[in-house]
């Protein structure tokens, strides 16, 4: 988050706070005066300088809200229209207006998740984490090592968080809303109860407070995690590929939504294999089969699953 503020403070926030909360000695009245003051690098531009905790809190909330929403809409749309098999919308367990419900649920959750994660981002910005900027501080090899540690830490921690959330006494309170989507679309990626989304995100934040990591690498990996969350909800049931033995693919996560007590992992299948919760994707488990049955009954596809052309009106 400190990388984002480092970029956006001079581009956006300095001018915004100078306009909203001008320093008494600034003495400007319009945007041209603001630009002059910025260029002059004279008196503080705003009552809230860059180190002001209230300014940092507001800036972080704006960045996380706009950033998370933008990533969600852009990449969920790309996944939905380019990858997701729209025939799955005919599945018997696909809800009426499900996409609209998924988007509404996600947009409701994002602001609350951002508020809950604010202390972690604030801690990063105020220097309490182990993030560092100069790659020479730990050497180039540590970039690769810390990446592996980051993914391993997250995968193991999220496996157990996710599995514990499936305990009946916990499940009904915070995780059940996400399993409303038996046949999810990419729009379900953030359709959580806010507490559920926050708890599952904790390992990403905790890691940089216990292990040194380059702040630019952390930003890249943190964004990649958000994209991965969308990716594993695209319903793609590719099976028989050699990577499915160790990668928790969209096929694995589709089975998790359908059968509830399998495939809890985030990136890999190691924990699921070791703790006996792994279910391998197989062609006969693909939910597209039930969707095609409905489509055949409606005369939309033939026995081979090919679309039936509607006769042209004369």
């Amino acid at each position: 988050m400190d990388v984002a503020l480092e970029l956006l403070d001079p581009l956006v926030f300095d001018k915004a706070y100078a306009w909203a909360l001008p320093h008494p000695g600034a003495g400007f009245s319009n945007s041209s005066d603001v630009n002059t003051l910025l260029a002059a690098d004279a008196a503080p531009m705003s009552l809230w300088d860059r180190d002001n905790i209230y300014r940092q809190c507001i800036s972080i909330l704006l960045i996380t809200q706009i950033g998370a929403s933008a990533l969600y809409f852009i990449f969920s749309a790309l996944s939905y229209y380019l990858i997701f098999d729209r025939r799955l919308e005919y599945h018997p367990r696909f809800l009426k207006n499900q996409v609209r419900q998924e988007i509404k649920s996600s947009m409701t959750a994002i602001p609350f998740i951002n508020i809950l994660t604010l202390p972690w981002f604030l801690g990063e910005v105020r220097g309490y984490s182990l993030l560092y900027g100069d790659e020479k501080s730990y050497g180039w090899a540590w970039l690769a090592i810390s990446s592996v540690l980051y993914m391993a830490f997250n995968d193991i921690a999220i496996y157990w968080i996710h599995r514990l959330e499936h305990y009946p006494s916990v499940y009904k309170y915070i995780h059940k809303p996400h399993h409303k989507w038996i046949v999810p679309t990419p729009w379900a990626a953030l359709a959580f109860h806010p507490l559920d989304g926050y708890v599952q995100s904790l390992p990403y934040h905790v890691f940089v407070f216990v292990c040194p990591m380059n702040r630019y690498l952390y930003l890249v990996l943190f964004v990649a995690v958000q994209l991965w969350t969308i990716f594993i909800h695209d319903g793609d049931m590719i099976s028989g590929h050699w990577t499915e033995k160790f990668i928790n693919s969209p096929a694995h996560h589709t089975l998790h939504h359908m059968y509830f007590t399998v495939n809890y992992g985030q990136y890999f299948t190691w924990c699921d294999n070791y703790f006996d919760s792994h279910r391998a994707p197989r062609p006969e488990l693909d939910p597209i089969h039930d969707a095609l049955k409905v489509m055949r009954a409606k005369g939309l596809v033939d026995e081979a699953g090919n679309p039936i052309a509607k006769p042209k009106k004369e």
Side-chain angles (χ1 to χ4, degrees):
M1 188 54 64
D2 55 342
V3 175
L5 283 180
E6 185 180 83
L7 174 66
L8 292 173
D9 269 336
L11 290 177
V12 179
F13 291 133
D14 283 344
K15 295 181 181 181
Y17 287 108
W19 173 82
L21 291 167
H23 191 276
F28 55 82
S29 58
N30 54 50
S31 59
S32 63
D33 291 332
V34 174
N35 291 329
T36 301
L37 185 59
L38 288 168
D41 194 23
M45 295 165 288
S46 169
L47 284 173
W48 290 357
D49 62 22
R50 292 181 182 179
D51 291 328
N52 182 281
I53 192 169
Y54 301 112
R55 167 173 168 163
Q56 290 173 339
C57 287
I58 293 172
S59 299
I60 289 169
L61 288 174
L62 287 172
I63 292 169
T64 51
Q65 180 63 37
I66 295 171
S69 299
L71 285 174
Y72 172 75
F73 278 109
I74 292 170
F75 289 96
S76 293
L78 289 173
S79 182
Y80 179 71
Y81 289 109
L82 299 180
I83 301 175
F84 180 73
D85 191 336
R86 301 284 296 279
R87 295 177 300 175
L88 288 171
E89 295 181 359
Y90 288 93
H91 193 281
R93 305 192 75 176
F94 194 87
L95 304 178
K96 182 179 181 181
N97 298 321
Q98 180 172 313
V99 169
R100 184 183 302 176
Q101 291 184 58
E102 289 171 337
I103 294 173
K104 182 180 178 181
S105 177
S106 297
M107 288 297 98
T108 301
I110 287 174
F112 292 102
I113 295 173
N114 291 340
I115 292 171
L116 291 170
T117 55
L118 175 61
W120 296 100
F121 285 130
L122 190 62
E124 294 172 17
V125 170
R126 298 187 73 83
Y128 295 110
S129 73
L130 298 179
L131 291 169
Y132 63 91
D134 186 359
E135 66 279 354
K136 295 178 182 178
S137 299
Y138 288 85
W140 290 98
W142 183 249
L143 295 178
I145 294 170
S146 61
S147 297
V148 172
L149 291 175
Y150 177 81
M151 296 180 72
F153 177 83
N154 291 339
D155 203 57
I156 295 169
I158 291 174
Y159 173 86
W160 282 109
I161 290 171
H162 194 179
R163 186 159 184 169
L164 289 170
E165 284 188 337
H166 276 261
Y167 275 51
S169 58
V170 179
Y171 176 82
K172 63 181 179 181
Y173 291 110
I174 67 168
H175 196 51
K176 187 176 180 179
H178 187 62
H179 275 279
K180 178 180 180 179
W181 330 111
I182 306 298
V183 182
T185 77
W187 299 107
L190 300 180
F192 291 103
H193 184 291
L195 190 57
D196 183 9
Y198 169 68
V199 171
Q200 291 205 51
S201 75
L202 276 176
Y204 311 133
H205 302 291
V206 170
F207 181 82
V208 295
F209 285 85
V210 297
C211 184
M213 189 172 217
N214 181 275
R215 59 187 185 139
Y216 301 103
L217 175 63
Y218 176 61
L219 179 62
V220 170
L221 291 177
F222 189 81
V223 171
V225 165
Q226 315 313 311
L227 303 185
W228 181 260
T229 302
I230 294 170
F231 173 69
I232 62 174
H233 286 89
D234 69 18
D236 197 339
M237 276 291 291
I238 296 175
S239 59
H241 196 271
W242 64 273
T243 59
E244 74 181 33
K245 293 181 180 179
F246 57 90
I247 298 293
N248 185 56
S249 67
H252 289 86
H253 200 67
T254 295
L255 295 180
H256 174 72
H257 274 263
M258 295 183 67
Y259 298 103
F260 296 96
T261 58
V262 298
N263 302 344
Y264 298 106
Q266 177 76 350
Y267 313 117
F268 306 109
T269 61
W270 302 331
C271 286
D272 281 303
N273 279 313
Y274 189 80
F275 294 107
D276 200 28
S277 56
H278 179 253
R279 184 161 191 173
R282 297 197 305 272
E284 62 269 23
L285 299 176
D286 194 333
I288 195 64
H289 299 308
D290 289 328
L292 288 174
K293 288 179 183 178
V294 175
M295 294 181 75
R296 290 190 192 99
K298 292 184 176 184
L300 299 174
V301 296
D302 59 23
E303 286 302 312
N306 300 312
I308 296 176
K310 295 181 179 180
K312 294 182 180 179
K313 294 183 180 179
E314 306 222 353

